[in-house]
Amino acid sequence: MSLLALTWDDAAGPDGRGALRLLDQTLLPLTTEYLVVERVDDLVGAIERLAVRGAPATPSAGAMGVVVAMDEAAREGWDEARLAAEVRRVRDARPTAVNLAWGVDRVAPLVPQGRDAVLAAARQLAAEDEAANRELSRLAADWLLARVDRPRLRVLTHCNAGVLATSAWGTALGVVRELHARGRLEFVYADETRPLLQGARLTAWELADEGIPHAVQVDGAAASTVLRGMVDCAVVGADRIAANGDVANKVGTLGVGLACREAGIPLLVAAPWSTVDLATPEGATIEIEERPGEEVVEFAGTRTAPFASPGYNPAFDVTPARFVAAVATERGVLEPAAGQRMDGVLTGS
Ligand code: MRU
């Protein structure tokens, strides 16, 4: 499997007490370099510039970030209020994915018990994410194979929802891996994912690493690939799933959903239950991160649009539940387009 997005390195850190080690995803696929994060400022910066990214990876990063904050507090002599404020900065570093706040909130109450308790909980959270991803991939593959009458599936995916976007294994790419392992995968079309190219740089890197047949296509090709019958389904991740089944994910997912609905093929959303936000009734209230316009009007540092033209750069969009054939979580598969809500049958399990 591809390199992990993050680990806690027991031997690193200024005082040898350990530090968070992040694979710097902004440099992939050409350069493999790690960041050793010893300060809250560095972690917040890494999250904001997407050195670590993908909804299910951020709770582990955020939870380990609480340990980073505690270690920095001990070195710098911060009081309780300052530590709480720094933990809050980690929690709020990106707004759309619910997972980051969820991960920080899960371990922050353990701060009074000491650093080892927080670190153990953060490690536990990362292990749970991997287990959830493997289980939801299995359930999603079963769901797809029961509905698509082909020996081997052709899949379209958008953005990167692989190992790099999670603690391990991946969600949408976890489903792809599962199909591949069962000998039931034919081909993957990976949308390049403008403007930061998570599909071209990261998804293609993971697929190439495992010898999975694939091609990278521009985002603008996706609808046509779907309507020309070149794929059997689309499988994507999610950043937040509202109680009614609306799904926030990387901008461009909505277009994929519209095309799938028109073509009569399933859009399957693969996400751990930590992505489900029952406190959000519907997608319209999800905050959509707006990133700097320069990411759109520049390419690799070179201006591509007139200097008089600003960029508009929403990082995510919301696909209405009626376009979402299935949401696969480790708790089971729900069918929002058929009227099933996330706060329905599975919430008690
Ligand atoms: O801006 P990014 O790269 O963090 O966006 C990532 C996505 O939109 C993913 O599809 C989503 O987080 C699910 S990852 C398993």
Side-chain angles (χ1 to χ4, degrees):
M1 211 184 354
S2 306
L3 300 172
L4 294 180
L6 68 148
T7 49
W8 185 266
D9 183 345
D10 284 314
D15 45 14
R17 297 189 77 201
L20 174 59
R21 206 159 170 261
L22 301 177
L23 178 59
D24 187 345
Q25 298 188 29
T26 64
L27 303 177
L28 291 173
L30 298 181
T31 305
T32 303
E33 211 168 277
Y34 288 88
L35 303 167
V36 176
V37 174
E38 299 161 3
R39 296 172 345 122
V40 169
D41 271 353
D42 296 337
L43 178 57
V44 170
I47 294 172
E48 285 174 349
R49 66 186 183 84
L50 311 197
V52 60
R53 38 124 334 254
T58 53
S60 305
M64 291 178 186
V66 176
V67 184
V68 170
M70 291 173 81
D71 286 348
E72 193 174 357
R75 285 197 308 275
E76 302 295 330
W78 294 346
D79 62 13
E80 258 180 53
R82 172 77 190 271
L83 173 59
E86 296 292 330
V87 167
R88 183 105 206 155
R89 280 179 64 217
V90 174
R91 183 187 187 279
D92 296 339
R94 289 186 82 190
T96 302
V98 68
N99 316 55
L100 172 59
W102 174 85
V104 171
D105 290 347
R106 196 165 127 177
V107 305
L110 300 174
V111 167
Q113 293 177 33
R115 146 193 218 280
D116 290 349
V118 177
L119 181 55
R123 283 186 153 135
Q124 170 73 17
L125 193 145
E128 284 173 18
D129 183 50
E130 175 171 1
N133 295 338
R134 287 181 183 273
E135 178 64 4
L136 71 88
S137 297
R138 198 180 60 74
L139 296 172
D142 287 347
W143 189 93
L144 286 168
L145 291 170
R147 281 157 187 82
V148 181
D149 188 21
R150 274 179 75 93
R152 293 187 302 138
L153 304 194
R154 302 159 305 164
V155 177
L156 183 148
T157 192
H158 188 77
C159 196
N160 171 263
V163 173
L164 295 170
T166 61
S167 300
W169 184 251
T171 59
L173 280 194
V175 180
V176 164
R177 283 194 170 88
E178 177 73 22
L179 291 168
H180 185 61
R182 293 188 196 185
R184 301 297 303 273
L185 181 77
E186 185 172 317
F187 199 81
V188 178
Y189 289 92
D191 289 353
E192 68 170 353
T193 318
R194 283 274 297 151
L196 297 179
L197 307 183
Q198 289 93 330
R201 295 188 303 105
L202 309 177
T203 296
W205 187 67
E206 291 194 35
L207 293 171
D209 188 52
E210 297 195 25
I212 295 177
H214 68 283
V216 177
Q217 64 180 359
V218 296
D219 299 350
S224 176
T225 298
V226 170
L227 290 182
R228 290 168 71 198
M230 295 166 64
V231 290
D232 304 301
C233 57
V235 182
V236 299
D239 286 84
R240 192 184 292 244
I241 303 173
N244 72 342
D246 290 350
V247 172
N249 191 47
K250 179 54 59 191
V251 67
T253 303
L254 171 56
V256 172
L258 280 160
C260 287
R261 169 77 172 225
E262 176 67 19
I265 66 169
L267 169 69
L268 181 138
V269 174
W273 189 258
S274 59
T275 312
V276 176
D277 181 12
L278 296 180
T280 295
E282 57 182 32
T285 54
I286 297 173
E287 183 182 349
I288 300 297
E289 176 184 356
E290 201 164 312
R291 296 187 59 83
E294 285 69 28
E295 289 178 354
V296 175
V297 293
E298 291 176 0
F299 189 78
T302 301
R303 186 81 187 186
T304 56
F307 283 100
S309 305
Y312 167 56
N313 192 11
F316 300 95
D317 61 24
V318 174
T319 302
R322 65 184 182 281
F323 300 147
V324 179
V327 173
T329 77
E330 70 276 23
R331 296 187 179 191
V333 181
L334 280 172
E335 300 180 359
Q340 286 188 315
R341 295 176 54 88
M342 303 310 294
D343 52 6
V345 287
L346 297 178
T347 48
S349 58

